[in-house]
């Protein structure tokens, strides 16, 4: 029988495809905003939600979903209270979420065994209910991105300039954090809690090394995410390896190979100074590239208000 003759594989590919689009899409913004560890933190928080759901007797996936949403709001709140020390909010929430999950897991040995699918991901763990949840999250993220992509772009590079230009920075940051939490919770059945941040960070990291503009970075990141997801699920099926770890290793291989190719290319063209490709720290590159455009628009908006 072929791989797609099994219904659970069909669900896995549908769910994986949707996650592979929205996770790298949000990951580019997280990397540029220096918040990539937020995904890892929310994955640990969602694990606590899974434990709460199992202990209280309702769907663990829904428990992880709800707690991830609450965790994203708390992280954003703490980030604003500790301005200049944003990593404090990540450390606080990660510590609390992981500690709570471990305490609840220790209460039952059967609960500990059932957590393996959430920790490492499992193809057979994607139920029809979870597929509908992932589809809903996918639709919300795409609608949000299409309608708010320009304000998000301004917020990513300069919050102060975006606020002067009339962007509701606090509301936009909170809604973006909520969508990130929803995506992390939805991705758990595929890649697992321990590797969900890899799906957001690795495609974005590779895209930012080769992209010459923000739009191209988004397109490249999504393409890499889809290739890594489908390739990882296929390899996992035939080799019988954990799907989450397989996807993460494949994405990591893409990143390392891409970095190697880029290094070889620059060594061969060391004397050619015409093209410049931004690296992982491309925030400053795009700031310089678009500074005049942003400033002119902000000045026009301020003058119009006056």
């Amino acid at each position: 029988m072929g791989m797609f003759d099994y219904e659970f594989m069909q669900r896995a590919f549908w769910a994986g495809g949707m996650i592979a689009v929205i996770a790298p899409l949000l990951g580019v913004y997280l990397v540029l905003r220096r918040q990539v560890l937020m995904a890892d933190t929310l994955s640990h928080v969602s694990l606590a939600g899974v434990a709460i759901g199992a202990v209280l007797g309702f769907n663990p996936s829904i428990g992880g979903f709800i707690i991830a949403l609450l965790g994203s709001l708390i992280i954003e709140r703490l980030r604003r209270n500790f301005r200049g020390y944003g990593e404090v909010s990540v450390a606080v929430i990660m510590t609390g979420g992981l500690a709570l999950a471990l305490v609840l897991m220790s209460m039952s040995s059967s609960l500990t065994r059932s957590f393996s699918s959430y920790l490492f991901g499992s193809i057979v763990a994607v139920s029809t209910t979870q597929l509908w949840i992932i589809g809903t999250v996918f639709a919300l993220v795409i609608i949000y991105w299409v309608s708010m992509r320009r304000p998000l772009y301004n917020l990513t590079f300069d919050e102060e300039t975006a606020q002067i230009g009339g962007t509701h920075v606090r509301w936009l940051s909170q809604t973006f954090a909520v969508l990130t939490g929803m995506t992390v919770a939805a991705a758990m059945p595929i890649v697992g809690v321990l590797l969900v941040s890899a799906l957001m960070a690795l495609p974005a990291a590779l895209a930012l090394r080769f992209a010459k503009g923000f739009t191209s970075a988004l397109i490249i990141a999504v393409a890499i995410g889809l290739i890594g997801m489908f390739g990882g699920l296929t390899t996992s099926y035939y080799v019988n390896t954990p799907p989450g770890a397989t996807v993460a290793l494949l994405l990591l291989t893409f990143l390392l190979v891409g970095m190697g190719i880029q290094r070889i290319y620059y060594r061969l063209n060391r004397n050619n100074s015409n093209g410049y490709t931004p690296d992982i720290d491309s925030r400053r590159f795009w700031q310089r590239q678009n500074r005049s455009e942003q400033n002119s628009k902000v000045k026009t908006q301020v003058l119009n208000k006056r």
Side-chain angles (χ1 to χ4, degrees):
M1 293 182 67
M3 180 172 56
F4 293 107
D5 291 335
Y6 296 100
E7 187 177 353
F8 71 88
M9 286 301 300
Q10 296 175 11
R11 292 196 300 266
F13 269 78
W14 274 110
M18 289 186 286
I19 293 298
V21 171
I22 59 177
L25 187 69
L26 297 177
V28 173
Y29 292 96
L30 289 172
V31 171
L32 292 175
R33 296 185 69 188
R34 305 292 194 269
Q35 293 181 336
V36 69
L37 286 179
M38 181 179 182
D40 194 40
T41 301
L42 290 176
S43 66
H44 288 79
V45 172
S46 63
L47 183 62
V50 170
I52 292 174
V55 170
L56 297 181
F58 60 91
N59 193 320
S61 297
I62 296 178
F65 200 85
I66 294 174
I67 298 301
L69 293 182
L70 294 176
S72 63
L73 292 174
I74 296 173
I75 288 176
E76 184 61 26
R77 180 69 177 180
L78 290 176
R79 188 179 71 86
R80 295 196 169 275
N81 290 338
F82 293 96
R83 287 187 177 274
Y85 304 94
E87 67 277 4
V88 173
S89 62
V90 172
V92 170
I93 299 302
M94 180 181 291
T95 302
L98 187 57
L100 179 60
L102 291 174
V103 169
L104 293 175
M105 288 170 60
S106 65
M107 295 180 178
S108 173
S109 58
S110 61
L111 181 61
T112 303
R113 290 193 297 268
S114 66
F115 268 20
S116 61
S117 61
Y118 292 99
L119 288 173
F120 306 107
S122 174
I123 293 177
V124 296
V126 183
S127 64
T128 303
T129 301
Q130 290 170 335
L131 185 61
W132 278 106
I133 292 175
I134 294 172
T136 302
V137 174
F138 174 82
L140 290 175
V141 171
I142 295 300
I143 293 172
Y144 178 85
W145 178 77
V146 169
S147 59
M148 305 299 295
R149 62 184 183 278
R150 191 64 193 182
L152 273 176
Y153 176 85
N154 296 331
L155 177 70
T156 298
F157 290 105
D158 195 337
E159 286 193 14
E160 294 181 358
T161 303
Q163 189 167 11
I164 294 173
T167 301
H168 298 286
V169 171
R170 177 171 296 183
W171 177 86
L172 194 63
S173 295
Q174 289 177 343
T175 53
F176 180 80
V178 167
L179 286 176
T180 302
M182 293 170 64
T183 302
V184 168
M188 279 194 304
I190 297 293
V191 294
V193 168
L194 298 180
L195 299 172
V196 67
S197 59
L199 190 57
M200 288 189 167
L202 295 181
L206 181 55
L208 292 175
R209 296 197 69 91
F210 288 93
K212 295 183 178 180
F214 189 72
T215 302
S216 61
L218 295 175
I219 295 173
I220 293 173
V222 170
I224 294 171
L226 287 170
I227 295 172
M229 177 62 73
F230 293 152
L233 289 178
T234 302
T235 303
S236 174
Y237 175 80
Y238 287 107
V239 185
N240 194 24
T241 55
T246 307
V247 171
L249 284 176
L250 190 58
L251 291 175
L252 181 59
T253 302
F254 290 163
L255 178 61
L256 295 177
V257 171
M259 292 172 62
I261 293 174
Q262 188 184 54
R263 183 176 294 274
I264 294 172
Y265 174 80
Y266 280 126
R267 285 186 177 182
L268 294 175
N269 298 272
R270 185 174 299 175
N271 297 326
N272 182 12
S273 59
N274 290 330
Y276 174 74
T277 302
D279 59 7
I280 190 63
D281 195 22
S282 54
R283 182 189 182 98
R284 294 182 180 178
F285 172 80
W286 282 317
Q287 276 183 325
R288 292 195 302 269
Q289 186 183 49
N290 298 284
R291 189 182 301 277
S292 59
E293 177 188 355
Q294 290 184 9
N295 288 342
S296 62
K297 289 187 177 182
V298 169
K299 290 179 181 178
T300 301
Q301 292 173 348
V302 172
L303 290 174
N304 290 337
K305 287 183 179 181
R306 292 180 178 177

